[in-house]
Amino acid sequence: MASDEERNDANADHRHVTLRNVAQAAGVSLKTASNVINGTGRMTDATRERVKSVIAQTGYRVNVAARNLNRGLTGFITLAVPSLTPPYLAELANRVIDEARKRDYSVYVTTYAEGSGKGVRDVLHSFNPSVSDGIILSMSEVEDISPGDFDVDYPLVVVGSRTTWGRVDHITPDDVEAAAMATRYLLDHGSSRLAVVGAREALDERKLRNATEGNAQLRLKGIIEECRRHHKRLDPALIGITPKDWTIGAGVQTTRQIIEGKVPFDGLIALNDQLALGSLSALAAMGVRVPGQVQVIGFDNIEESAYLQTPLTTMDSRLDWTAPTAVERLIGRIHGTVTTPQLLKVKSRIVVRQTTRP
């Protein structure tokens, strides 16, 4: 068994292996060895495999920093989010970092002043390409943004429910379909009068049917459309308004107000899981049984939702798809393999737990 000293010597030898050493050991030119590392160039399969075998035997490691420097790149990307407090955004950041690391990139995470009308513009206009190679921007739905703000000369990918007017890549779950799916599940499992917690303003069905962006607006649009397919209407008295506040506290207060309004309901859709956690707390405090009297469903599938006393049924916002797709598109733009902006959507899925009936 090798001693610690012997292992350290072996590791040191691996660190000192150069690409020239690999080329010499494989009997190929430095250019050919470089092509194998980068997956480029024309050569026989036997030659490529011989170089790969030498790389494995010698423990050669690519100097990522030097390679990026030669390409005029930093090896960093930026993730800009309105806040890291909401669990959804914290998980997005963690997943982006993990996905970037797999591709030999590091991530700068920055926050901007949400709702200031200036925060996103500051991020976009102050971007420094000598520090980072591109931006993944998680757009808050309350930002004041215009098409011209996306006319930038660096790689940019936008995540979330805000439109990008086709100017840049846009990665998002299908909020309308997800909300319709949640509504359909409640109605198919015995609910007939639905409450909604998390609306930005008073219910205006005509306006919402024409909505093209915003988590709250698109989710309400999906709820309205599915209710209509079931020949049902939302009661304005059962719409809980939380203008910009999607916290647990807002869920508690708004649900309490709906219950105190004395308008009966037997299903509740909270427009994110934090609101749903607050709704469950308010229902329990006021003696309403879940799911016996009221079924509850949320959005985002945050980690806490699975570990409540009554685990929460929720719509999975598919960060498992969003993060790698956003990183892949951005790196494609950095390297010039992606050039045409696309709107990429993914279908959500329901995670059934104990706040709804089986």
Side-chain angles (χ1 to χ4, degrees), residues 31 33 47 90 149 158 186 205 219 240 276 328-329 331 335 346:
K31 176 66 173 176
T47 298
D149 291 313
V158 172
L186 292 185
E205 289 201 10
R219 289 172 185 177
E328 180 181 356
R329 293 294 293 185
I331 292 178
H335 292 283
V346 66

Side-chain angles (χ1 to χ4, degrees), residues 156-165 168-172 212 321 341-345:
L156 171 64
V157 171
V158 172
V159 172
S161 63
R162 293 296 303 274
T163 183
T164 65
W165 295 279
V168 296
D169 285 312
H170 183 192
I171 314 297
T172 182
T212 59
W321 172 87
Q342 288 189 20
L343 169 61
L344 301 174
K345 286 187 177 182

Side-chain angles (χ1 to χ4, degrees), residues 171-182 184 219 226 229 299-301 314-322 325 343-351:
I171 314 297
T172 182
D174 189 335
D175 273 326
V176 176
E177 172 58 26
M181 192 184 303
R184 185 163 56 249
R219 289 172 185 177
E226 190 63 27
R229 284 190 281 268
F299 280 81
D300 292 343
N301 192 28
T314 181
M315 301 305 300
D316 187 345
S317 291
R318 297 301 307 277
L319 283 175
D320 63 320
W321 172 87
T322 300
T325 302
L343 169 61
L344 301 174
K345 286 187 177 182
V346 66
K347 186 175 181 178
S348 185
R349 56 195 173 203
I350 188 167
V351 182

Side-chain angles (χ1 to χ4, degrees), residues 14-222:
H14 286 173
R15 284 196 298 271
H16 288 108
V17 174
T18 67
L19 186 58
R20 189 174 299 279
N21 298 146
V22 171
Q24 291 172 345
V28 299
S29 68
L30 188 61
K31 176 66 173 176
T32 298
S34 177
N35 285 340
V36 173
I37 293 292
N38 293 305
T40 58
R42 299 179 63 181
M43 68 194 76
T44 65
D45 290 342
T47 298
R48 193 178 297 276
E49 289 305 315
R50 186 165 72 253
V51 174
K52 287 182 178 179
S53 176
V54 171
I55 289 170
Q57 291 169 11
T58 60
Y60 172 74
R61 294 291 182 268
V62 178
N63 187 330
V64 176
R67 184 174 66 181
N68 286 332
L69 185 61
N70 290 334
R71 294 174 176 176
L73 301 175
T74 67
F76 283 83
I77 60 176
T78 297
L79 171 66
V81 295
S83 170
L84 286 171
T85 301
Y88 172 86
L89 292 176
E91 184 178 352
L92 172 65
N94 284 330
R95 286 181 178 268
V96 166
I97 291 168
D98 289 343
E99 291 299 327
R101 185 181 293 121
K102 293 175 186 177
R103 295 162 173 81
D104 293 327
Y105 267 84
S106 299
V107 180
Y108 291 123
V109 180
T110 185
T111 60
Y112 56 85
E114 184 177 15
S116 67
K118 183 173 174 289
V120 166
R121 289 193 182 93
D122 283 347
V123 169
L124 294 175
H125 297 167
S126 64
F127 175 76
N128 185 348
S130 68
V131 174
S132 172
D133 298 325
I135 298 180
I136 296 174
L137 173 64
S138 176
M139 273 287 294
S140 163
E141 65 184 77
V142 299
E143 295 306 306
D144 179 18
I145 200 80
S146 64
D149 291 313
F150 293 125
D151 292 337
V152 298
D153 59 359
Y154 54 81
L156 171 64
V157 171
V158 172
V159 172
S161 63
R162 293 296 303 274
T163 183
T164 65
W165 295 279
R167 303 291 183 97
V168 296
D169 285 312
H170 183 192
I171 314 297
T172 182
D174 189 335
D175 273 326
V176 176
E177 172 58 26
M181 192 184 303
T183 304
R184 185 163 56 249
Y185 189 87
L186 292 185
L187 295 176
D188 287 348
H189 287 77
S191 293
S192 59
R193 291 181 60 84
L194 301 183
V196 179
V197 173
R200 299 298 187 192
E201 56 189 8
L203 183 66
D204 183 339
E205 289 201 10
R206 180 181 299 178
K207 181 178 178 181
L208 288 167
R209 284 200 300 272
N210 295 321
T212 59
E213 62 178 349
N215 292 121
Q217 294 88 337
L218 295 177
R219 289 172 185 177
L220 270 165
K221 178 180 181 178

